[in-house]
Amino acid sequence: MTPSFISIEGGEGAGKSTSIEYIKGKIESFGIECLVTREPGGTPMAEDIRQLLLQHRDEVVDPYTELLLMFASRRQHVENVIRPALASGKWVICDRFTDASFAYQGFGRGLDKDFITSLKHFVHGDLNPTMTFLFDLDIEIGMARAGKRANFDRIETEAMSFFERVRQGYLTQARAEPDRYRIVDASQSIEAVQHQLDLFLTPLLTLRGLANE
Ligand SMILES: Nc1ncnc2c1ncn2[C@@H]1O[C@H](COP(=O)(O)OP(=O)(O)OP(=O)(O)O)[C@@H](O)[C@H]1O
Ligand SMILES: [Mg+2]
């Protein structure tokens, strides 16, 4: 069996967390064990780093400090959770991964993308998602959806222009790697989004089943 590493990307309120259990259920219905995890976070220590990153503070947070903390939590997560799960034959579904560092810190904050690429190679080398769902949504709709939740975290309080750069950054990455990316029109109803996910996942899972027969 070829274990698969699926990442879910997209802006605030696009519906990533809502759909992740659906994706897990769909994959498990084909008899594959799945681990759902998220970034930043995914291990106790990495979740502590998430808190460091997302809490509001009086002090200015240097964007490279933010980037390095993202990759510190990622290294912990990759080594302690993602690699062992894949090695045991599970599929891993991760709510955000390194493409988010390019979208938010690279495109959003304007940090050096070559440096982010070096960090990516150093931190997780050959381990990259085999499929990435990009939940693409107008940022105002996403914010309105997310606004129904409790308080906004530190990154969620950025200006709309920041989130527009993030959205365009994701679309740029998706266009550069069309084989890995599946773009989901996240403006549709939850049921219609699930239908799009089915159209992407069913052929993949069916082929895998046939290959294993
Ligand atoms: N397709 C949809 N149509 C309408 N509302 C939706 C849809 N998908 C999710 N929602 C609602 O929008 C809100 C945000 O969804 P969710 O938390 O899944 O987004 P997210 O992409 O995980 O956001 P974040 O990046 O902030 O974690 C939730 O209240 C959810 O119920
Ligand atoms: Mg979420």
Side-chain angles (χ1 to χ4, degrees):
M1 170 171 31
T2 314
S4 201
F5 178 19
I6 298 174
S7 60
I8 316 288
E9 299 283 358
E12 265 58 29
K16 301 180 295 299
S17 302
T18 304
S19 287
I20 211 158
E21 285 301 321
Y22 181 79
I23 295 171
K24 179 178 196 266
K26 176 87 190 171
I27 295 170
E28 285 180 343
S29 74
F30 281 76
I32 302 164
E33 248 191 290
C34 255
L35 175 86
V36 166
T37 185
R38 70 166 182 184
E39 290 216 342
T43 85
M45 184 179 177
E47 289 287 333
D48 285 350
I49 299 174
R50 178 188 182 93
Q51 289 309 314
L52 282 178
L53 279 161
L54 298 184
Q55 67 193 211
H56 294 275
R57 32 182 97 247
D58 297 330
E59 178 183 355
V60 172
V61 178
D62 179 83
Y64 280 100
T65 304
E66 179 178 285
L67 177 71
L68 291 166
L69 282 172
M70 289 286 182
F71 272 97
S73 82
R74 180 163 300 135
R75 175 72 183 195
Q76 192 68 9
H77 188 208
V78 164
E79 292 302 308
N80 288 9
V81 174
I82 298 177
R83 282 192 196 277
L86 291 172
S88 76
K90 287 184 187 157
W91 284 28
V92 173
I93 313 171
C94 192
D95 193 339
R96 291 212 164 110
F97 197 64
T98 294
D99 296 352
S101 299
F102 283 100
Y104 283 78
Q105 283 72 43
F107 289 88
R109 302 215 190 278
L111 302 193
D112 182 353
K113 295 191 195 65
D114 290 340
F115 180 58
I116 304 176
T117 301
S118 317
L119 287 173
K120 168 181 151 171
H121 289 314
F122 183 81
V123 166
H124 53 93
D126 54 337
L127 183 82
N128 285 294
T130 46
M131 182 178 279
T132 299
F133 288 112
L134 172 57
F135 281 64
D136 181 56
L137 180 64
D138 177 278
I139 54 169
E140 305 222 344
I141 299 173
M143 279 295 161
R145 284 186 191 168
K148 292 190 189 137
R149 270 197 318 240
N151 301 327
F152 284 116
D153 66 38
R154 187 179 62 81
I155 295 177
E156 285 171 340
T157 51
E158 284 292 333
M160 288 312 244
S161 55
F162 171 82
F163 293 111
E164 191 54 46
R165 289 196 298 278
V166 170
R167 182 183 188 195
Q168 295 309 322
Y170 271 132
L171 288 168
T172 301
Q173 294 183 81
R175 281 192 283 267
E177 282 188 77
D179 290 345
R180 171 164 68 94
Y181 264 92
R182 302 288 181 276
I183 301 180
V184 175
D185 175 359
S187 69
Q188 297 183 6
S189 67
I190 293 179
E191 295 70 31
V193 164
Q194 290 176 350
H195 180 63
Q196 293 180 61
L197 293 168
D198 281 345
L199 291 178
F200 289 135
L201 284 167
T202 305
L204 177 92
L205 291 162
T206 308
L207 274 176
R208 182 191 159 278
L210 289 174
N212 282 355
E213 271 173 13

